[in-house]
Amino acid sequence: MASTNSEFQLTTPNSHQDEETSTPLGTSSNDLHPTTPRRQLLVLISSFLTICITIGLNQSYGVFQSYYTSPSQTMLPISTSSSALTAFIGTLGSGLTWSGSLLINPILARLNVKGTKVLCVTGILFMSLGLGLASLCSQVWQLLLTQGMLYGIGSSLIYFPVLSVAPEYFTGHRGSAMGFILSGSGVGGLVFSPIVRALISSVGPRWTLRTLAFLVLVVGLPIAATAAPSRFVGRRPTHIDIKLAMKPSFLFSVGAGFLQAGGNGLPLTFLAEYSVVLGYSAGFGATLLAVSSGVNSISRVMTGFAGDRFGRQNTLILTVVLCVISVLGFWLGSVSGGNKVLWIMFVILYGITGGGYNALFPTTVAEVFGLQAYASVNGFIYFVRGLGTMFGSPIGGKILGESKLGNYRNVVLFDAALLGGAMFCVIGVRCWDAVDKRTWKWKA
């Protein structure tokens, strides 16, 4: 992968590729500082690990959710550990990770390389502190402030400085490269879910949180210390142009971001808990969450590759359509009859399709709006996605009430409605993008 002949073949200072493949979309070669294969490889690895310890770690929250709501838990008062409240802990963390873009991107535009690294180090310290303080909590509201809010703020401070510049380092195979980077969420979930379950069983929830706080420091500080700068010459715009904001393609993109974020995280939040209600053990529920994350990580790489080959918007639409089908066909079928086979099929299919939007969304933003506008558009849509994340799972927990099999039917229908709305919006983006560019391309 370090070789210039690898799958992620990128721009080098001596490159003689044509303009379409050697320069990121919406820029000229004079707009960007030169780079090296070593720097590109570093961006690839550091971005992947950043996703692992932010989005990936948060995807394992379903294991904590299952523990916090179980009758045998000893950390919280039973009367306060409802599904709605405890679900909000995890979604607050992931929601703040994304919604922080509205403040962090303008700050990044004004920082030099040293300032960016300080921001990243601060984020890692906040994440670790949030998990460490959570180990001392005995009330849900305390976990909301620590494992939710403090962790989420820190996660956002490391996520955007690293990820906002990643597409600038990838050109002709940007979809494949970003698919690999974003597969870190699945790999993180695959690794952390069984670790969290095993630690809770062996040393209890408090030492589990302390162990995670230490792991975040060990993995995160080297990433923060080597954060890559933007390749752009001069300052990138961080505010949305009013003309762009009024375009239907932008409005549909915002709607898709909100609805997909709300619907995508909901099954992961309740996956382990629903598995227990269905009759599986808590350990097997954590295993299923890990399996879903593992399948998801592989799928993101393959989805990125498919996007480069068949069109990123086309592939994105297909994945969202398959998400709706999997929710209505398999999860709803499992709820209706208590069918374990349909549930396993759902876990696998949703793992394959659920990450497609997340893998291709950044590349389609660059494709539809141009890389020069990437920071501002991507930042705003991620802010909206953060709001969507904080909307979906807590509302689902409120709909659920007590964790009984029959109660999940309305949760599934709510999830299908969110994802169905996202499907309508991504199709709208595809159509209006063609209108704006006054041309229809089958591969787009």
Side-chain angles (χ1 to χ4, degrees), residues 4 30 32 44 47 99 138 148 220 223 245 248 312 359 374 403 413 425 443:
T4 55
N30 294 327
L32 301 173
L44 194 71
S47 300
S99 61
S138 58
I223 297 172
R312 292 152 190 166
Y374 176 83
S403 300
L413 294 176
C425 288
K443 180 182 176 181

Side-chain angles (χ1 to χ4, degrees), residues 283-312:
F284 188 75
T287 300
L288 284 181
L289 184 58
V291 168
S292 178
S293 297
V295 172
N296 186 286
S297 65
I298 298 172
S299 172
R300 290 191 185 209
V301 177
M302 300 307 296
T303 300
F305 175 78
D308 288 336
R309 185 175 179 84
F310 303 110
R312 292 152 190 166

Side-chain angles (χ1 to χ4, degrees), residues 65-289:
Q65 167 76 8
S66 180
Y67 174 79
Y68 289 152
T69 56
S70 67
S72 60
Q73 65 90 17
T74 58
M75 191 170 173
L76 304 171
I78 297 296
S79 60
T80 62
S81 56
S82 69
S83 291
L85 281 174
T86 54
F88 192 53
I89 298 170
T91 54
L92 180 62
S94 58
L96 287 174
T97 299
W98 288 339
S99 61
S101 63
L102 205 63
L103 296 176
I104 294 173
N105 277 339
I107 293 174
L108 282 173
R110 291 163 174 79
L111 292 178
N112 56 23
V113 176
K114 184 177 179 180
T116 300
K117 293 180 179 180
V118 170
L119 193 69
C120 292
V121 170
T122 303
I124 293 297
L125 295 177
F126 271 40
M127 288 175 66
S128 182
L129 184 62
L131 293 170
L133 291 177
S135 70
L136 305 176
C137 295
S138 58
Q139 299 288 338
V140 173
W141 68 266
Q142 295 169 344
L143 289 174
L144 284 168
L145 293 177
T146 55
Q147 192 176 4
M149 186 175 73
L150 192 56
Y151 169 87
I153 292 173
S155 180
S156 190
L157 288 173
I158 180 70
Y159 181 91
F160 284 103
V162 174
L163 268 296
S164 65
V165 303
E168 300 170 15
Y169 286 83
F170 305 93
T171 55
H173 298 286
R174 189 183 296 128
S176 300
M178 293 304 295
F180 173 80
I181 289 171
L182 295 171
S183 72
S185 65
V187 173
L190 174 65
V191 172
F192 284 116
S193 293
I195 288 177
V196 170
R197 183 63 219 172
L199 286 173
I200 289 176
S201 299
S202 58
V203 299
R206 299 189 187 280
W207 277 105
T208 297
L209 288 164
R210 291 163 191 160
T211 302
L212 293 177
F214 176 74
L215 286 174
V216 165
L217 281 178
V218 170
V219 177
L221 287 178
I223 297 172
T226 58
S230 171
R231 289 184 63 200
F232 272 101
V233 177
R235 184 179 295 178
R236 293 178 299 171
T238 57
H239 299 289
I240 301 294
D241 180 83
I242 188 64
K243 292 182 179 179
L244 185 149
M246 296 305 294
K247 288 185 175 181
S249 55
F250 177 80
L251 297 175
F252 275 120
S253 295
V254 171
F258 180 86
L259 295 170
Q260 195 277 339
N264 183 63
L266 201 151
L268 297 177
T269 299
F270 295 105
L271 194 152
E273 185 180 349
Y274 176 76
S275 298
V276 173
V277 172
L278 201 57
Y280 291 115
S281 66
F284 188 75
T287 300
L288 284 181
L289 184 58

